[in-house]
Amino acid sequence: MLAVLRNVTYRRLFAAQIVALVGTGLLTVALGLLAYHLAGRNAGAVLGTALTIKMLAYVGLAPVITALVARLPKKPVLIGADLIRAAMALCLPFITDTWQIYVVIFLLQSASATFTPAFQSLIPTILKDERDYTRALSLSRLAYDMESLVSPALAALLLTLISYNNLFIGTVAGFLFSAFMVTITVLPRLSAAAGPQTSLWHRTTLGARIFWRNRRLRSLLALNLVVAAPTALVLVNTVVYVRDILHRPETDLALALACFGVGSMIVALSAPRALDRFGDRAVMLTGAALIPVVLAGAALLTFLGAGGAGWWLLLGLWFLLGASNSTILTPSSRLLRDASTEETRPYVFTAQFSLSHACYILTYPLAGWIGAVAGLGWAALALTIIAMIGSAGAFLSWPRHNAAEPANEEQSVDQPA
């Protein structure tokens, strides 16, 4: 898998991604502490609002921003987004009121909605060989999983030496390092910079229209919903499972989340070989079939209880949820690459970025509100139903033949809407 790092361009961009991810992880910890400092017991409401603002920026602004910068060279777009993220992170230690958090988070996440799709759409242009690209996707999945494990541990270590406000400096450094690595990297010149202008509305909606016309991408839309269900259960309710349901110590929260991450990492490591042998459809739909079953197990665990074995069952369920999620997330960009041309690729990747995050606007409130009002068992059951609906849609939408659908005239930026 590491052989793909021999490509100098990809190696530098991957290094930029890793350091920026660690900086973002430090931001998550520091932001929680800042919210508690400003709002006390209402910190959860502040963080929930900030998370909603983040998702709205991802869903609403990403396609518009991509359409606005589509004709610009990728390097200044990426560098500019990183510098804006660094500037916003630098503002956070000086915040004195909660409304300021919302403004800064909106601007920071708007820059992320610019950077991430542009960055992701570059990789298939740099790594044209399918096996190399698959290895890169596995490395990217590993980077995200490692960040979820490393960043909290690093933050805990740093907090023994410095105040939480200084963690934001690590975030600033991560974004500045990312900008530096992009600056010294020679990026390929993309054809999207050429050609006649089209309307902003045409460019904004192009990615979504390509999604709707391609059966494999329609299946990916449904798979996004499948992934959002267990992610919401784990991120929102693990602390309640550990502390209130199973009465475990606080340190076990990290262990439960780590099991979710380890399951994802193991699948990411084995993904290139599995995809070569079985193909995208078999691997991704296996995860889609498994997730509702495991979520139903989590609901049963809550309703029936499991005595002393409950803790070990929870760890096993979280491991399976992480592994199942990874079978969908790791290969998903292969579908985007196959369904797009070099010209339309930024729009397709942006549509996936926006539409996948839209699913969390549904599942995060379901996990939190139903869990708080009716109990975790009903929250897990509701998310099981959501995952079943998404899984059924994925199976029905994805054609049995594995060949990529050819690009048609609608996939050209220069075609009128």
Side-chain angles (χ1 to χ4, degrees):
M1 187 186 298
L2 296 179
V4 72
L5 295 177
R6 294 172 185 167
N7 184 302
V8 176
T9 300
Y10 175 71
R11 183 169 68 241
R12 289 176 176 174
L13 292 178
F14 184 63
Q17 179 189 27
I18 289 177
V19 176
L21 280 174
V22 173
T24 303
L26 295 178
L27 171 68
T28 301
V29 176
L31 188 62
L33 295 172
L34 174 62
Y36 186 79
H37 175 75
L38 294 176
R41 296 177 61 183
N42 294 323
V46 173
L47 289 175
T49 303
L51 183 62
T52 302
I53 289 172
K54 171 183 174 179
M55 293 301 165
L56 292 175
Y58 283 179
V59 173
L61 290 183
V64 178
I65 294 173
T66 296
L68 289 172
V69 304
R71 304 285 172 167
L72 301 178
K74 283 290 184 288
K75 178 176 283 192
V77 170
L78 293 173
I79 294 171
D82 266 336
L83 293 179
I84 292 173
R85 294 198 292 182
M88 292 302 100
L90 191 59
C91 292
L92 286 167
F94 305 102
I95 281 178
T96 57
D97 206 342
T98 54
W99 69 266
Q100 297 168 349
I101 291 180
Y102 304 147
V103 173
V104 170
I105 290 300
F106 176 77
L107 294 174
L108 191 153
Q109 300 302 341
S110 297
S112 291
T114 305
F115 181 92
T116 303
F119 177 90
Q120 292 174 339
S121 66
L122 267 177
I123 306 304
T125 305
I126 295 168
L127 301 173
K128 296 183 180 296
D129 181 79
E130 183 171 356
R131 289 190 174 186
D132 286 342
Y133 184 54
T134 302
R135 295 186 185 105
L137 294 178
S138 294
L139 281 176
S140 181
R141 185 73 249 152
L142 283 172
Y144 279 103
D145 292 332
M146 285 299 297
E147 182 274 325
S148 67
L149 300 176
V150 171
S151 292
L154 179 60
L157 177 62
L158 291 175
L159 286 171
T160 63
L161 305 173
I162 59 177
S163 68
Y164 74 86
N165 270 333
N166 290 322
L167 292 181
F168 292 121
I169 305 302
T171 301
V172 174
F175 292 145
L176 290 178
F177 179 84
S178 176
F180 171 73
M181 294 303 292
V182 174
T183 301
I184 65 174
T185 302
V186 179
L187 299 181
R189 184 178 294 274
L190 303 180
S191 62
Q197 280 284 359
T198 55
S199 70
L200 176 63
W201 174 253
H202 175 77
R203 299 195 305 274
T204 300
T205 60
L206 178 61
R209 285 185 280 117
I210 293 174
F211 257 78
W212 186 248
R213 289 174 178 268
N214 187 290
R215 291 183 64 188
R216 283 155 55 96
L217 294 189
R218 288 206 301 271
S219 180
L220 181 58
L221 280 177
L223 290 171
N224 289 335
L225 190 62
V226 178
V227 167
T231 303
L233 181 71
V234 170
L235 295 185
V236 174
N237 288 331
T238 298
V239 64
V240 186
Y241 272 105
V242 171
R243 298 293 289 146
D244 287 351
I245 302 297
L246 299 173
H247 307 292
R248 305 290 299 187
E250 292 180 352
T251 52
D252 282 351
L253 172 62
L255 183 56
L257 294 174
C259 280
F260 182 77
V262 169
S264 180
M265 291 170 62
I266 290 175
V267 169
L269 284 168
S270 59
R273 182 174 296 180
L275 291 168
D276 285 343
R277 182 173 181 181
F278 301 109
D280 297 327
R281 187 180 191 274
V283 171
M284 297 177 74
L285 293 185
T286 297
L290 186 58
I291 283 174
V293 176
V294 182
L295 284 174
L300 284 175
L301 171 66
T302 312
F303 283 128
L304 303 179
W311 168 240
W312 299 106
L313 287 173
L314 180 75
L315 294 183
L317 291 171
W318 265 219
F319 176 88
L320 290 175
L321 288 178
S324 303
N325 262 14
S326 192
T327 64
I328 297 173
L329 291 172
T330 302
S332 61
S333 292
R334 287 163 48 113
L335 307 187
L336 305 177
R337 179 203 57 185
D338 293 341
S340 62
T341 64
E342 184 178 293
E343 187 180 20
T344 61
R345 194 161 290 145
Y347 302 96
V348 173
F349 273 80
T350 300
Q352 165 65 3
F353 181 81
S354 179
L355 294 170
S356 62
H357 284 90
C359 297
Y360 293 102
I361 296 178
L362 170 65
T363 59
Y364 277 146
L366 276 179
W369 297 344
I370 295 180
V373 174
L376 292 189
W378 292 107
L381 184 59
L383 293 171
T384 301
I385 295 171
I386 293 294
M388 290 174 63
I389 294 171
S391 181
F395 274 89
L396 293 173
S397 298
W398 199 322
R400 290 188 176 277
H401 60 87
N402 235 0
E405 296 176 41
N408 55 45
E409 67 275 8
E410 184 66 30
Q411 291 177 313
S412 170
V413 177
D414 300 326
Q415 287 289 326

